[in-house]
Amino acid sequence: MRILLVEDDPLLISGLLTALRHAHYGVEHVADGVSATQALKVNHFDLVILDLGLPRMDGLDVLRHVRAAGNDVPVLILSAREGTRDRITGLDLGADDYLVKPFELDELLARIRVIERRRSGVTVNQLQLGALKMDLASFAVYWHEQRIDLQRMEFMLLKHLVESPQRVFSRAQLEESIYGWGDGAESNTIDVHVHHIRKKTSADVIKTVRGVGYRLGEVEA
C-alpha cells in the first residue's frame, strides 16, 4: 500500500514516517498543498493522509481539487481543527475519515486498515490461499502453519501478489507497488526479494513469467 503523507510539521512528519514504514507501508511525503496535487497527478497512491493547515494551498482546497479531477483515492484527514463544521466540510468534500490532532498512532493505523479493507473488499485482517496465510494486522506470514519471517518489502511484495493471484506483474509494477518514487530501488531489487521469499517458502510460490515478470505460483495446501 502506497501512502502520500501531506504534512508540514517536522516533528509529526518524522514520527509518522517511522510508524508507517514500520507498519509495512510505502510512504511518500510532501509538505504543502500544491506539491500534493502535483504528486497525485503523476503518481498512483492507495491513500492520502492530509493535513488541513498547509502552506501554499489549504488541505480542504487540495481535497476539492483531487475530487474535481475525478481522483477517488481514499483520503484520511489529520487536523488540529476539531470543530464540527470542519469535520462535516471535509467529509462532504469526499474525505473517507477525519482524525483530530493530537491522536494515538495505534488509532491512526487502525483507521488506515479499515480504509484499506473497505476499498479492497477485504472484510477480515487475513489473506489466505492454500498453504499460505498472511495476517495483515500483525504482519505475520504462515507457510503450512509454520510462521516465517519476512522483511518489510518482502511482505509487501508477497501481499501484492496474493491480492491478485492470477495477474502477472512486471518488475516495474512491483517496484511501484512497494517503493516510493523517491526511494530509488536498484534494478535487481525485485529479483532479490523474490529469491528470499522462495527460500523461506517454496521455489514454486512465485512463478517467473519469462520476458514479463512474476505472478503468484503454487500455494495449494
Side-chain angles (χ1 to χ4, degrees):
M1 185 180 192
R2 295 186 68 202
I3 296 175
L4 177 64
L5 173 63
V6 190
E7 173 61 62
D8 66 331
D9 182 332
L11 289 178
L12 187 55
I13 292 164
S14 177
L16 286 175
L17 289 176
T18 298
L20 291 169
R21 287 169 178 163
H22 182 72
H24 300 268
Y25 295 116
V27 190
E28 300 303 324
H29 166 253
V30 294
D32 65 84
V34 172
S35 297
T37 60
Q38 292 172 344
L40 286 163
K41 281 182 181 178
V42 298
N43 295 281
H44 169 77
F45 294 95
D46 301 297
L47 174 67
V48 178
I49 298 177
L50 178 66
D51 185 27
L52 294 187
L54 295 167
R56 300 178 72 192
M57 180 185 291
D58 184 79
L60 290 176
D61 290 329
V62 172
L63 184 55
R64 287 189 184 95
H65 186 278
V66 168
R67 295 302 185 232
N71 190 337
D72 66 350
V73 60
V75 175
L76 193 166
I77 291 176
L78 295 183
S79 179
R81 303 176 191 174
E82 56 183 340
T84 302
R85 178 171 296 181
D86 286 314
R87 295 193 192 200
I88 292 173
T89 300
L91 294 170
D92 282 346
L93 287 173
D96 293 74
D97 202 350
Y98 194 113
L99 188 58
V100 176
K101 301 175 183 177
F103 54 87
E104 296 290 335
L105 281 172
D106 285 345
E107 181 179 3
L108 172 63
L109 294 173
R111 293 191 183 213
I112 291 173
R113 291 194 296 270
V114 169
I115 292 173
E116 187 176 11
R117 294 197 302 270
R118 185 188 307 148
R119 289 295 177 124
S120 66
V122 176
T123 56
V124 295
N125 276 332
Q126 290 186 350
L127 294 173
Q128 183 164 5
L129 284 174
L132 179 67
K133 182 169 69 174
M134 305 185 73
D135 188 311
L136 305 183
S138 65
F139 307 105
V141 180
Y142 299 87
W143 176 246
H144 289 284
E145 303 300 329
Q146 298 296 314
R147 180 162 179 169
I148 60 173
D149 294 322
L150 295 185
Q151 299 299 316
R152 180 169 71 95
M153 293 304 179
E154 295 167 7
F155 182 95
M156 293 169 65
L157 172 59
L158 185 58
K159 175 176 176 288
H160 198 66
L161 293 172
V162 170
E163 287 175 331
S164 301
Q166 304 303 319
R167 181 176 172 184
V168 178
F169 293 92
S170 68
R171 287 173 177 81
Q173 288 171 326
L174 291 172
E175 286 176 3
E176 183 180 355
S177 73
I178 66 174
Y179 288 98
W181 34 268
D183 283 357
E186 296 181 4
S187 59
N188 69 335
T189 299
I190 295 299
D191 298 334
V192 172
H193 291 328
V194 168
H195 173 71
H196 289 162
I197 293 169
R198 285 170 171 165
K199 283 186 67 176
K200 296 171 183 178
T201 54
S202 162
D204 298 323
V205 162
I206 299 177
K207 180 177 176 59
T208 301
V209 181
R210 200 171 296 277
V212 182
Y214 296 104
R215 69 168 176 84
L216 194 69
E218 180 61 54
V219 294
E220 292 300 321

Short mmCIF file of all heavy atoms in Angstrom, two decimals, residues 1-18 20-21 25-40 43-45 47-51 53-56 78 101 179-183:
data_model
loop_
_atom_site.label_atom_id
_atom_site.label_comp_id
_atom_site.label_asym_id
_atom_site.label_seq_id
_atom_site.Cartn_x
_atom_site.Cartn_y
_atom_site.Cartn_z
N MET A 1 0.85 -1.19 0.00
CA MET A 1 0.00 0.00 0.00
C MET A 1 0.88 1.24 0.00
O MET A 1 1.75 1.39 0.85
CB MET A 1 -0.91 0.01 1.23
CG MET A 1 -1.91 1.14 1.25
SD MET A 1 -2.94 1.08 2.74
CE MET A 1 -4.21 2.26 2.28
N ARG A 2 0.66 2.11 -0.97
CA ARG A 2 1.45 3.35 -1.08
C ARG A 2 0.65 4.52 -0.52
O ARG A 2 -0.50 4.75 -0.90
CB ARG A 2 1.81 3.64 -2.53
CG ARG A 2 2.73 2.61 -3.15
CD ARG A 2 3.15 3.04 -4.54
NE ARG A 2 4.00 4.21 -4.49
CZ ARG A 2 4.16 5.04 -5.52
NH1 ARG A 2 3.51 4.85 -6.64
NH2 ARG A 2 4.97 6.08 -5.43
N ILE A 3 1.26 5.24 0.40
CA ILE A 3 0.60 6.35 1.08
C ILE A 3 1.32 7.65 0.75
O ILE A 3 2.55 7.71 0.76
CB ILE A 3 0.60 6.12 2.60
CG1 ILE A 3 -0.22 4.88 2.97
CG2 ILE A 3 0.06 7.35 3.33
CD1 ILE A 3 -0.17 4.53 4.43
N LEU A 4 0.53 8.69 0.46
CA LEU A 4 1.08 10.03 0.34
C LEU A 4 0.75 10.79 1.62
O LEU A 4 -0.41 11.00 1.95
CB LEU A 4 0.47 10.76 -0.86
CG LEU A 4 0.93 12.22 -1.04
CD1 LEU A 4 2.43 12.28 -1.33
CD2 LEU A 4 0.15 12.92 -2.14
N LEU A 5 1.78 11.17 2.36
CA LEU A 5 1.62 11.95 3.58
C LEU A 5 1.80 13.43 3.25
O LEU A 5 2.86 13.83 2.76
CB LEU A 5 2.65 11.51 4.62
CG LEU A 5 2.71 12.34 5.91
CD1 LEU A 5 1.40 12.25 6.69
CD2 LEU A 5 3.89 11.87 6.77
N VAL A 6 0.77 14.22 3.52
CA VAL A 6 0.81 15.65 3.25
C VAL A 6 0.76 16.37 4.59
O VAL A 6 -0.31 16.53 5.20
CB VAL A 6 -0.36 16.09 2.35
CG1 VAL A 6 -0.16 17.54 1.89
CG2 VAL A 6 -0.51 15.17 1.15
N GLU A 7 1.91 16.80 5.07
CA GLU A 7 2.03 17.36 6.41
C GLU A 7 3.23 18.29 6.46
O GLU A 7 4.24 18.02 5.80
CB GLU A 7 2.20 16.21 7.43
CG GLU A 7 2.49 16.61 8.85
CD GLU A 7 1.40 17.45 9.47
OE1 GLU A 7 0.25 16.95 9.59
OE2 GLU A 7 1.69 18.61 9.83
N ASP A 8 3.13 19.39 7.24
CA ASP A 8 4.23 20.35 7.29
C ASP A 8 4.86 20.50 8.67
O ASP A 8 5.77 21.31 8.84
CB ASP A 8 3.77 21.72 6.78
CG ASP A 8 2.73 22.36 7.71
OD1 ASP A 8 1.98 21.62 8.38
OD2 ASP A 8 2.67 23.61 7.75
N ASP A 9 4.43 19.72 9.63
CA ASP A 9 5.01 19.77 10.97
C ASP A 9 6.19 18.80 11.04
O ASP A 9 6.01 17.58 10.99
CB ASP A 9 3.95 19.37 12.01
CG ASP A 9 4.47 19.44 13.44
OD1 ASP A 9 5.69 19.28 13.66
OD2 ASP A 9 3.65 19.66 14.35
N PRO A 10 7.43 19.31 11.16
CA PRO A 10 8.62 18.43 11.10
C PRO A 10 8.60 17.30 12.12
O PRO A 10 8.98 16.17 11.80
CB PRO A 10 9.78 19.39 11.34
CG PRO A 10 9.26 20.73 10.95
CD PRO A 10 7.81 20.73 11.30
N LEU A 11 8.22 17.58 13.36
CA LEU A 11 8.20 16.54 14.37
C LEU A 11 7.17 15.46 14.06
O LEU A 11 7.45 14.26 14.19
CB LEU A 11 7.92 17.15 15.75
CG LEU A 11 9.05 18.00 16.35
CD1 LEU A 11 8.61 18.59 17.69
CD2 LEU A 11 10.31 17.18 16.52
N LEU A 12 6.00 15.88 13.63
CA LEU A 12 4.95 14.91 13.30
C LEU A 12 5.34 14.10 12.06
O LEU A 12 5.10 12.90 12.00
CB LEU A 12 3.63 15.63 13.07
CG LEU A 12 2.40 14.76 12.87
CD1 LEU A 12 2.22 13.79 14.03
CD2 LEU A 12 1.15 15.62 12.71
N ILE A 13 5.96 14.77 11.09
CA ILE A 13 6.40 14.08 9.88
C ILE A 13 7.35 12.93 10.23
O ILE A 13 7.18 11.79 9.78
CB ILE A 13 7.12 15.06 8.92
CG1 ILE A 13 6.13 16.07 8.35
CG2 ILE A 13 7.82 14.30 7.79
CD1 ILE A 13 6.80 17.27 7.72
N SER A 14 8.34 13.21 11.06
CA SER A 14 9.33 12.20 11.42
C SER A 14 8.67 11.00 12.09
O SER A 14 8.95 9.84 11.75
CB SER A 14 10.38 12.82 12.34
OG SER A 14 11.31 11.85 12.77
N GLY A 15 7.79 11.27 13.05
CA GLY A 15 7.13 10.18 13.76
C GLY A 15 6.22 9.36 12.87
O GLY A 15 6.19 8.12 12.95
N LEU A 16 5.48 10.04 11.99
CA LEU A 16 4.56 9.34 11.11
C LEU A 16 5.31 8.49 10.09
O LEU A 16 4.91 7.36 9.81
CB LEU A 16 3.64 10.34 10.40
CG LEU A 16 2.54 10.96 11.26
CD1 LEU A 16 1.80 12.02 10.47
CD2 LEU A 16 1.57 9.89 11.75
N LEU A 17 6.36 9.03 9.50
CA LEU A 17 7.13 8.26 8.52
C LEU A 17 7.70 7.00 9.16
O LEU A 17 7.65 5.91 8.57
CB LEU A 17 8.24 9.11 7.93
CG LEU A 17 7.83 10.23 6.97
CD1 LEU A 17 9.05 11.04 6.55
CD2 LEU A 17 7.12 9.67 5.75
N THR A 18 8.22 7.13 10.36
CA THR A 18 8.78 5.97 11.05
C THR A 18 7.70 4.93 11.34
O THR A 18 7.87 3.74 11.08
CB THR A 18 9.45 6.40 12.37
OG1 THR A 18 10.52 7.30 12.07
CG2 THR A 18 9.99 5.20 13.12
N LEU A 20 4.65 4.52 9.98
CA LEU A 20 4.01 3.95 8.79
C LEU A 20 4.93 2.97 8.08
O LEU A 20 4.48 1.91 7.62
CB LEU A 20 3.58 5.07 7.84
CG LEU A 20 2.43 5.96 8.33
CD1 LEU A 20 2.29 7.19 7.45
CD2 LEU A 20 1.13 5.18 8.39
N ARG A 21 6.20 3.29 8.00
CA ARG A 21 7.13 2.36 7.36
C ARG A 21 7.35 1.12 8.21
O ARG A 21 7.49 0.01 7.68
CB ARG A 21 8.45 3.08 7.07
CG ARG A 21 8.31 4.06 5.90
CD ARG A 21 9.49 4.98 5.72
NE ARG A 21 9.30 5.84 4.55
CZ ARG A 21 9.99 6.96 4.32
NH1 ARG A 21 10.93 7.34 5.19
NH2 ARG A 21 9.76 7.68 3.25
N TYR A 25 4.11 0.02 5.27
CA TYR A 25 3.54 0.83 4.21
C TYR A 25 4.65 1.58 3.48
O TYR A 25 5.63 2.03 4.09
CB TYR A 25 2.55 1.85 4.78
CG TYR A 25 1.32 1.22 5.40
CD1 TYR A 25 1.05 1.36 6.75
CD2 TYR A 25 0.42 0.48 4.63
CE1 TYR A 25 -0.08 0.79 7.33
CE2 TYR A 25 -0.70 -0.09 5.19
CZ TYR A 25 -0.95 0.06 6.54
OH TYR A 25 -2.06 -0.52 7.10
N GLY A 26 4.49 1.71 2.17
CA GLY A 26 5.37 2.58 1.41
C GLY A 26 4.84 3.99 1.51
O GLY A 26 3.67 4.24 1.24
N VAL A 27 5.68 4.94 1.91
CA VAL A 27 5.22 6.30 2.20
C VAL A 27 6.05 7.34 1.46
O VAL A 27 7.28 7.28 1.47
CB VAL A 27 5.28 6.61 3.72
CG1 VAL A 27 4.56 7.93 4.01
CG2 VAL A 27 4.69 5.49 4.54
N GLU A 28 5.35 8.28 0.82
CA GLU A 28 5.98 9.48 0.27
C GLU A 28 5.49 10.68 1.05
O GLU A 28 4.37 10.66 1.59
CB GLU A 28 5.63 9.64 -1.20
CG GLU A 28 6.07 8.50 -2.09
CD GLU A 28 7.55 8.25 -2.00
OE1 GLU A 28 8.32 9.22 -1.86
OE2 GLU A 28 7.94 7.09 -2.06
N HIS A 29 6.31 11.73 1.11
CA HIS A 29 5.93 12.90 1.89
C HIS A 29 6.09 14.19 1.07
O HIS A 29 7.08 14.35 0.36
CB HIS A 29 6.79 13.01 3.15
CG HIS A 29 6.68 14.35 3.81
ND1 HIS A 29 7.69 15.29 3.78
CD2 HIS A 29 5.64 14.93 4.46
CE1 HIS A 29 7.30 16.37 4.40
NE2 HIS A 29 6.06 16.18 4.83
N VAL A 30 5.10 15.05 1.16
CA VAL A 30 5.21 16.42 0.66
C VAL A 30 4.71 17.34 1.75
O VAL A 30 3.91 16.94 2.60
CB VAL A 30 4.41 16.64 -0.65
CG1 VAL A 30 4.99 15.84 -1.80
CG2 VAL A 30 2.93 16.32 -0.46
N ALA A 31 5.18 18.60 1.73
CA ALA A 31 4.92 19.49 2.86
C ALA A 31 3.98 20.64 2.54
O ALA A 31 3.78 21.51 3.38
CB ALA A 31 6.25 20.04 3.39
N ASP A 32 3.42 20.67 1.34
CA ASP A 32 2.48 21.75 1.02
C ASP A 32 1.41 21.25 0.05
O ASP A 32 1.57 20.21 -0.59
CB ASP A 32 3.21 22.96 0.44
CG ASP A 32 3.84 22.66 -0.91
OD1 ASP A 32 3.13 22.75 -1.94
OD2 ASP A 32 5.05 22.33 -0.94
N GLY A 33 0.33 22.02 -0.05
CA GLY A 33 -0.82 21.59 -0.84
C GLY A 33 -0.56 21.51 -2.32
O GLY A 33 -1.06 20.61 -3.00
N VAL A 34 0.20 22.46 -2.86
CA VAL A 34 0.47 22.45 -4.29
C VAL A 34 1.27 21.21 -4.67
O VAL A 34 0.99 20.54 -5.67
CB VAL A 34 1.20 23.74 -4.72
CG1 VAL A 34 1.65 23.64 -6.18
CG2 VAL A 34 0.30 24.96 -4.53
N SER A 35 2.28 20.90 -3.89
CA SER A 35 3.08 19.70 -4.16
C SER A 35 2.23 18.44 -4.07
O SER A 35 2.44 17.48 -4.82
CB SER A 35 4.24 19.60 -3.16
OG SER A 35 5.13 20.69 -3.31
N ALA A 36 1.25 18.44 -3.17
CA ALA A 36 0.36 17.29 -3.05
C ALA A 36 -0.45 17.08 -4.33
O ALA A 36 -0.55 15.95 -4.84
CB ALA A 36 -0.58 17.47 -1.86
N THR A 37 -1.02 18.14 -4.87
CA THR A 37 -1.82 18.00 -6.10
C THR A 37 -0.95 17.57 -7.27
O THR A 37 -1.37 16.76 -8.10
CB THR A 37 -2.53 19.31 -6.45
OG1 THR A 37 -1.57 20.37 -6.66
CG2 THR A 37 -3.48 19.74 -5.32
N GLN A 38 0.29 18.07 -7.32
CA GLN A 38 1.20 17.66 -8.39
C GLN A 38 1.58 16.20 -8.27
O GLN A 38 1.63 15.48 -9.27
CB GLN A 38 2.44 18.56 -8.37
CG GLN A 38 2.16 20.01 -8.75
CD GLN A 38 3.35 20.92 -8.54
OE1 GLN A 38 4.30 20.57 -7.85
NE2 GLN A 38 3.30 22.11 -9.12
N ALA A 39 1.86 15.74 -7.05
CA ALA A 39 2.22 14.34 -6.84
C ALA A 39 1.08 13.42 -7.24
O ALA A 39 1.30 12.36 -7.84
CB ALA A 39 2.60 14.11 -5.38
N LEU A 40 -0.15 13.82 -6.94
CA LEU A 40 -1.31 12.98 -7.24
C LEU A 40 -1.64 12.97 -8.73
O LEU A 40 -2.32 12.06 -9.20
CB LEU A 40 -2.52 13.46 -6.44
CG LEU A 40 -2.45 13.11 -4.94
CD1 LEU A 40 -3.42 13.95 -4.14
CD2 LEU A 40 -2.73 11.62 -4.74
N ASN A 43 1.41 10.28 -10.01
CA ASN A 43 1.71 9.04 -9.31
C ASN A 43 0.44 8.42 -8.74
O ASN A 43 -0.51 9.13 -8.41
CB ASN A 43 2.69 9.28 -8.16
CG ASN A 43 4.04 9.75 -8.63
OD1 ASN A 43 4.86 8.95 -9.08
ND2 ASN A 43 4.28 11.04 -8.57
N HIS A 44 0.45 7.10 -8.64
CA HIS A 44 -0.68 6.39 -8.03
C HIS A 44 -0.40 6.16 -6.56
O HIS A 44 0.68 5.70 -6.18
CB HIS A 44 -0.91 5.04 -8.71
CG HIS A 44 -1.88 4.18 -7.97
ND1 HIS A 44 -3.24 4.39 -8.01
CD2 HIS A 44 -1.68 3.12 -7.13
CE1 HIS A 44 -3.83 3.49 -7.25
NE2 HIS A 44 -2.91 2.71 -6.71
N PHE A 45 -1.38 6.50 -5.72
CA PHE A 45 -1.31 6.22 -4.30
C PHE A 45 -2.58 5.49 -3.88
O PHE A 45 -3.65 5.67 -4.47
CB PHE A 45 -1.16 7.51 -3.49
CG PHE A 45 0.15 8.22 -3.73
CD1 PHE A 45 0.24 9.24 -4.66
CD2 PHE A 45 1.30 7.85 -3.03
CE1 PHE A 45 1.44 9.89 -4.89
CE2 PHE A 45 2.50 8.49 -3.26
CZ PHE A 45 2.57 9.51 -4.20
N LEU A 47 -3.63 5.72 -0.64
CA LEU A 47 -4.20 6.51 0.45
C LEU A 47 -3.45 7.83 0.56
O LEU A 47 -2.24 7.88 0.36
CB LEU A 47 -4.09 5.74 1.78
CG LEU A 47 -4.51 6.49 3.04
CD1 LEU A 47 -6.02 6.76 3.03
CD2 LEU A 47 -4.11 5.72 4.29
N VAL A 48 -4.20 8.89 0.87
CA VAL A 48 -3.60 10.19 1.18
C VAL A 48 -3.92 10.52 2.63
O VAL A 48 -5.08 10.49 3.04
CB VAL A 48 -4.14 11.30 0.27
CG1 VAL A 48 -3.52 12.65 0.65
CG2 VAL A 48 -3.86 10.98 -1.20
N ILE A 49 -2.89 10.80 3.42
CA ILE A 49 -3.07 11.32 4.77
C ILE A 49 -2.83 12.83 4.68
O ILE A 49 -1.73 13.27 4.38
CB ILE A 49 -2.11 10.66 5.77
CG1 ILE A 49 -2.38 9.16 5.83
CG2 ILE A 49 -2.23 11.29 7.15
CD1 ILE A 49 -1.43 8.40 6.74
N LEU A 50 -3.87 13.60 4.92
CA LEU A 50 -3.88 15.02 4.54
C LEU A 50 -4.10 15.93 5.74
O LEU A 50 -5.14 15.87 6.40
CB LEU A 50 -5.01 15.23 3.51
CG LEU A 50 -5.24 16.65 2.99
CD1 LEU A 50 -4.04 17.13 2.16
CD2 LEU A 50 -6.52 16.69 2.14
N ASP A 51 -3.12 16.78 6.00
CA ASP A 51 -3.28 17.86 6.97
C ASP A 51 -4.11 18.97 6.31
O ASP A 51 -4.16 19.07 5.08
CB ASP A 51 -1.91 18.38 7.39
CG ASP A 51 -1.99 19.42 8.49
OD1 ASP A 51 -2.96 19.39 9.26
OD2 ASP A 51 -1.08 20.26 8.56
N GLY A 53 -4.05 22.52 7.58
CA GLY A 53 -3.34 23.80 7.63
C GLY A 53 -2.01 23.73 6.92
O GLY A 53 -0.95 23.67 7.55
N LEU A 54 -2.06 23.75 5.60
CA LEU A 54 -0.85 23.57 4.78
C LEU A 54 -0.41 24.88 4.13
O LEU A 54 -1.24 25.74 3.82
CB LEU A 54 -1.12 22.55 3.67
CG LEU A 54 -1.40 21.12 4.11
CD1 LEU A 54 -1.95 20.32 2.93
CD2 LEU A 54 -0.14 20.47 4.66
N PRO A 55 0.90 25.05 3.87
CA PRO A 55 1.36 26.18 3.08
C PRO A 55 0.90 26.06 1.62
O PRO A 55 0.65 24.97 1.12
CB PRO A 55 2.90 26.07 3.15
CG PRO A 55 3.18 25.11 4.26
CD PRO A 55 2.00 24.20 4.34
N ARG A 56 0.77 27.18 0.94
CA ARG A 56 0.53 27.30 -0.49
C ARG A 56 -0.90 26.91 -0.92
O ARG A 56 -1.45 27.52 -1.81
CB ARG A 56 1.54 26.49 -1.31
CG ARG A 56 2.97 26.92 -1.09
CD ARG A 56 3.93 26.06 -1.86
NE ARG A 56 3.86 26.34 -3.29
CZ ARG A 56 4.43 25.56 -4.21
NH1 ARG A 56 5.04 24.44 -3.86
NH2 ARG A 56 4.34 25.87 -5.49
N LEU A 78 -5.97 14.52 8.74
CA LEU A 78 -5.42 14.75 10.07
C LEU A 78 -5.41 16.25 10.29
O LEU A 78 -4.83 16.99 9.50
CB LEU A 78 -3.98 14.24 10.17
CG LEU A 78 -3.71 12.74 10.04
CD1 LEU A 78 -2.23 12.49 10.25
CD2 LEU A 78 -4.52 11.95 11.05
N LYS A 101 -6.01 15.99 15.70
CA LYS A 101 -4.74 16.03 16.43
C LYS A 101 -4.99 16.60 17.84
O LYS A 101 -5.80 17.50 17.98
CB LYS A 101 -3.72 16.92 15.72
CG LYS A 101 -3.37 16.51 14.32
CD LYS A 101 -2.43 17.56 13.69
CE LYS A 101 -2.09 17.24 12.26
NZ LYS A 101 -1.27 18.29 11.65
N TYR A 179 7.71 0.45 -3.47
CA TYR A 179 8.66 1.53 -3.24
C TYR A 179 8.03 2.85 -3.68
O TYR A 179 7.22 2.90 -4.58
CB TYR A 179 9.95 1.34 -4.05
CG TYR A 179 10.83 0.23 -3.55
CD1 TYR A 179 10.79 -1.04 -4.14
CD2 TYR A 179 11.70 0.44 -2.49
CE1 TYR A 179 11.60 -2.07 -3.68
CE2 TYR A 179 12.52 -0.59 -2.03
CZ TYR A 179 12.46 -1.82 -2.62
OH TYR A 179 13.25 -2.84 -2.17
N GLY A 180 8.44 3.90 -3.02
CA GLY A 180 8.00 5.22 -3.46
C GLY A 180 8.83 5.71 -4.62
O GLY A 180 9.90 5.19 -4.91
N TRP A 181 8.30 6.76 -5.27
CA TRP A 181 9.01 7.27 -6.43
C TRP A 181 10.31 7.95 -6.07
O TRP A 181 11.10 8.29 -6.93
CB TRP A 181 8.13 8.20 -7.26
CG TRP A 181 7.15 9.03 -6.49
CD1 TRP A 181 5.86 8.72 -6.20
CD2 TRP A 181 7.37 10.33 -5.92
NE1 TRP A 181 5.27 9.73 -5.47
CE2 TRP A 181 6.17 10.73 -5.31
CE3 TRP A 181 8.47 11.18 -5.88
CZ2 TRP A 181 6.03 11.95 -4.65
CZ3 TRP A 181 8.33 12.41 -5.23
CH2 TRP A 181 7.12 12.77 -4.63
N GLY A 182 10.61 8.15 -4.78
CA GLY A 182 11.87 8.76 -4.39
C GLY A 182 12.85 7.79 -3.77
O GLY A 182 13.93 8.16 -3.35
N ASP A 183 12.48 6.52 -3.70
CA ASP A 183 13.31 5.56 -2.98
C ASP A 183 14.48 5.02 -3.79
O ASP A 183 15.46 4.56 -3.24
CB ASP A 183 12.46 4.37 -2.51
CG ASP A 183 11.63 4.73 -1.29
OD1 ASP A 183 11.78 5.87 -0.80
OD2 ASP A 183 10.84 3.89 -0.85
#
